[in-house]
């Protein structure tokens, strides 16, 4: 009979089973920052060739500024969601047995506006649970900068465990840009208030948006029609996430 576990870790704690992987991947600081401030950045999660392939594939598939259901459309997206650093951070943030909820992309040209301040726990009433429900990972295929249309965050708002009100949506005095090189992955939890800066540079900002969620939650995207072939190709980790 399988051993059952009833103990619950406090938010921000790393389980004894996950700790060796976190240490081996050098992610301890990322875990602390994600727990305390609601966001973090993983640099050099993959080689430049992978990020280039990811960017080219998104541009090939994107229509009207974006694309969704990408896990069913090209193997490069399975590589992305199975990245060891992302898998470890997802387990830390949304628990063992986490699910893949969405694999989407955005392509933002010069002049693209903002999406407005919000928390990704937009289907939950406040107060949000103490334990995070949803983790967003944005694979930056281009350099993230304020002028380039980077994600705007208000660090520490993850602790409020609620949605911003109308005045707070307008007041961005404490906002900062997530700035990182191409190939880095920006992550934030479902509580963090965030938006984006308008892009004023030439060219495009290409991002792959990956969302993981807790086991008991319904996923945003339904991959059941593609599950058999995905599991046959990628095995147990894919079966668990679907």
């Amino acid at each position: 009979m399988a051993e059952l576990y009833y103990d619950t870790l406090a938010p921000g704690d790393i389980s004894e089973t996950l700790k060796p992987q976190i240490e081996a991947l050098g992610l301890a600081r990322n875990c602390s920052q994600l727990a305390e401030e609601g966001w973090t950045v993983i640099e050099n999660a993959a080689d430049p060739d992978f990020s280039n392939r990811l960017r080219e594939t998104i541009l090939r598939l994107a229509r009207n500024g974006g694309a969704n259901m990408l896990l069913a459309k090209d193997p490069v997206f399975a590589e992305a969601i199975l990245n060891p650093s992302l898998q470890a951070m997802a387990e830390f943030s949304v628990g063992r047995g986490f699910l893949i909820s969405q694999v989407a992309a955005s392509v933002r040209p010069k002049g693209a506006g903002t999406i407005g301040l919000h928390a990704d726990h937009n289907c939950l009433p406040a107060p949000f649970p103490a334990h995070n429900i949803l983790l967003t990972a944005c694979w930056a295929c281009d350099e993230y900068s304020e002028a380039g249309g980077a994600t705007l965050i208000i660090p520490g708002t993850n602790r409020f465990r609620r949605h911003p009100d109308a005045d707070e949506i307008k007041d961005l005095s404490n906002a900062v840009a997530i700035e990182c090189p191409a190939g880095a992955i920006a992550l934030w939890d479902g509580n963090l208030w965030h938006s984006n800066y308008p892009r004023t540079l030439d060219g495009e900002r290409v991002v792959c948006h990956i969302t993981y969620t807790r086991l008991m939650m319904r996923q945003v995207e339904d991959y059941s029609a593609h599950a058999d072939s995905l599991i046959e190709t990628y095995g147990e980790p894919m079966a668990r996430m679907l």
Side-chain angles (χ1 to χ4, degrees):
M1 179 177 177
E3 186 175 0
L4 299 179
Y5 296 90
Y6 296 100
D7 291 340
T8 299
L9 292 174
D13 284 356
I14 303 173
S15 71
E16 291 302 316
T17 56
L18 180 61
K19 190 174 294 183
Q21 189 177 0
I22 292 293
E23 292 175 350
L25 292 167
L27 296 172
R29 184 194 64 81
N30 297 99
C31 291
S32 295
Q33 185 179 23
L34 183 61
E36 293 170 9
E37 300 182 24
W39 71 286
T40 192
V41 173
I42 302 171
E43 296 191 14
N44 304 314
D47 59 49
D49 175 69
F50 175 79
S51 290
N52 290 335
R53 287 192 292 118
L54 186 63
R55 188 182 196 278
E56 292 168 1
T57 306
I58 290 171
L59 288 174
R60 174 169 55 83
L61 296 173
R63 300 290 183 273
N64 299 318
N68 57 14
M69 289 292 295
L70 291 176
L71 186 55
K73 295 179 180 178
D74 194 279
V76 73
F77 299 106
E79 291 183 61
I81 71 167
L82 290 166
N83 177 274
S85 292
L86 280 185
Q87 291 278 296
M89 293 302 297
E91 181 171 335
F92 166 72
S93 183
V94 290
R96 295 177 68 182
F98 60 86
L99 305 175
I100 187 69
S101 185
Q102 187 173 32
V103 186
S106 63
V107 179
R108 302 184 65 79
K110 182 178 182 179
T114 66
I115 57 176
L117 194 70
H118 65 286
D120 284 341
H121 279 160
N122 51 15
C123 292
L124 295 178
F128 301 147
H131 290 77
N132 185 40
I133 297 295
L134 184 147
L135 178 70
T136 297
C138 283
W139 203 304
C141 299
D142 299 284
E143 180 183 15
Y144 256 33
S145 66
E146 182 172 335
T151 300
L152 172 156
I153 61 169
I154 304 183
T157 49
N158 56 308
R159 295 189 295 270
F160 297 163
R161 293 172 54 193
R162 61 173 176 82
H163 306 279
D165 63 29
D167 291 333
E168 290 163 332
I169 289 172
K170 296 176 183 178
D171 178 16
L172 301 178
S173 56
N174 294 319
V176 298
I178 295 180
E179 297 192 310
C180 58
I185 307 171
L187 299 97
W188 56 85
D189 68 24
N191 289 356
L192 186 73
W193 298 355
H194 64 282
S195 179
N196 67 287
Y197 287 94
R199 183 176 177 88
T200 59
L201 299 180
D202 293 334
E204 298 165 315
R205 190 207 75 168
V206 179
V207 175
C208 181
H209 305 265
I210 301 167
T211 304
Y212 302 96
T213 193
R214 285 193 180 270
L215 177 61
M216 74 287 196
M217 301 300 292
R218 178 180 178 179
Q219 298 110 304
V220 172
E221 294 179 336
D222 179 7
Y223 286 103
S224 57
H226 310 278
D228 288 347
S229 62
L230 287 166
I231 293 167
E232 182 179 358
T233 302
Y234 300 103
E236 188 278 334
M238 185 65 73
R240 173 180 48 76
M241 285 192 292
L242 292 175

